[in-house]
Amino acid sequence: MAMQTKSGQSGAGDATKHWWTLRLTAVALVPLAVWFVASLVALAGADYPTMIAWVSNPFVTVLLLSMLVSLFYHLRLGLQEIVEDYVHARRAKIVLSVALTFGCFLLAMATIAAVLKIAIGS
Amino acid sequence: MSMDENNRPLSPHLQIYRWQLHMVMSILHRATGVALGLGTIFLTWWLMALAAGPSAYETFTTVASSMVGQIILFGFSYGLFYHLLNGIRHLYWDAGQGFEPATVRLTGQLIMVISFAATVGTWLAAYYLLGTL
């Protein structure tokens, strides 16, 4: 069997970057999440054209995209941490890590594409 | 991997300890994180439906404004407020602050109260603006 590290985790240096990026995205998400919830409250019951107009506002588009990038990056790092804490079988850990990375990436792309389509198409 | 490695004694785990606020809050931070992660599927549906057109969006709003939809959204909003506030507490800890037992207890209790109050306040505001309150 090939040599492997004791913990089966990735190489040195990654942990610091992981730790820092999780905090960096958290700091970004504090104002963005508050803005998002406040906007949704203000938009309660809004009809379709109003929602489209809201997303296509350039400021809203930029803030939405910033929130989505931070959110899905933060989500991937947070879920990764849980997998590393609780899943000890090396193969399962790798399979889960890859699956959740792909999942977060797909959702990020879907939401970003949707926002851009609305912003550019209207 | 040898068998011995799997049978090594474990340090005391959750069921050994008396339940305490900071323990519940730590677990709740991860639980709300995972719940919000699942919530992003709902967020994705919302934006995709909006991009797809009025009829797709109507399907979304029908589900979101139903009783079950509103309860799920209420849950997500609580998870968001809790994770947000406790996340700020974590950042404060990361800066090396607020570790005195009395401070930890106080900030913990404050977050439990404020996260719930903010959730209820948000929904009251939304329903008030909708004119249904």
Side-chain angles (χ1 to χ4, degrees):
Chain A
M1 199 181 184
M3 287 285 285
Q4 54 180 255
T5 58
K6 189 176 160 227
S7 62
Q9 280 166 355
S10 50
D14 280 10
T16 310
K17 190 170 177 257
H18 179 115
W19 189 94
W20 178 249
T21 316
L22 192 65
R23 269 75 187 169
L24 190 71
T25 49
V27 169
L29 283 166
V30 171
L32 289 168
V34 172
W35 162 79
F36 184 65
V37 172
S39 302
L40 289 188
V41 169
L43 286 162
D47 58 8
Y48 184 77
T50 311
M51 291 303 304
I52 292 292
W54 179 71
V55 176
S56 351
N57 176 309
F59 292 102
V60 173
T61 307
V62 168
L63 289 179
L64 270 180
L65 292 175
S66 305
M67 185 187 78
L68 292 168
V69 170
S70 311
L71 186 150
F72 285 110
Y73 206 158
H74 187 82
L75 177 62
R76 189 192 88 82
L77 293 174
L79 291 175
Q80 176 88 36
E81 217 172 272
I82 294 173
V83 169
E84 280 168 9
D85 280 355
Y86 300 123
V87 183
H88 302 303
R90 188 175 160 78
R91 191 180 304 247
K93 188 192 299 208
I94 294 171
V95 169
L96 263 173
S97 300
V98 171
L100 69 87
T101 302
F102 284 1
C104 289
F105 187 84
L106 263 180
L107 290 181
M109 286 302 120
T111 52
I112 290 167
V115 169
L116 287 176
K117 182 176 180 286
I118 296 164
I120 295 167
S122 50
Chain B
M1 192 187 283
S2 71
M3 284 294 284
D4 304 343
E5 241 175 286
N6 283 331
N7 292 327
R8 283 191 300 202
L10 296 166
S11 53
H13 203 38
L14 280 181
Q15 61 271 29
I16 301 298
Y17 296 104
R18 181 170 61 84
W19 283 88
Q20 293 178 75
L21 182 65
H22 64 261
M23 179 171 155
V24 173
M25 291 190 72
S26 173
I27 295 165
L28 202 52
H29 195 72
R30 280 208 159 161
T32 51
V34 172
L36 289 167
L38 291 170
T40 61
I41 296 169
F42 208 71
L43 176 79
T44 306
W45 182 24
W46 173 59
L47 286 168
M48 293 280 274
L50 205 52
S55 70
Y57 192 63
E58 205 186 310
T59 309
F60 171 84
T61 50
T62 305
V63 174
S65 61
S66 70
M67 184 65 126
V68 175
Q70 294 282 286
I71 290 170
I72 289 171
L73 285 171
F74 184 88
F76 285 146
S77 65
Y78 172 73
L80 180 62
F81 277 120
Y82 178 83
H83 200 84
L84 180 77
L85 291 168
N86 202 47
I88 292 171
R89 189 163 75 133
H90 269 286
L91 291 170
Y92 185 57
W93 284 338
D94 289 336
Q97 304 290 317
F99 282 121
E100 301 74 22
T103 313
V104 171
R105 206 172 305 117
L106 179 69
T107 52
Q109 287 165 343
L110 277 174
I111 286 167
M112 294 307 280
V113 173
I114 298 172
S115 56
F116 186 71
T119 309
V120 174
T122 299
W123 283 84
L124 286 177
Y127 276 109
Y128 177 77
L129 288 173
L130 260 175
T132 51
L133 198 80

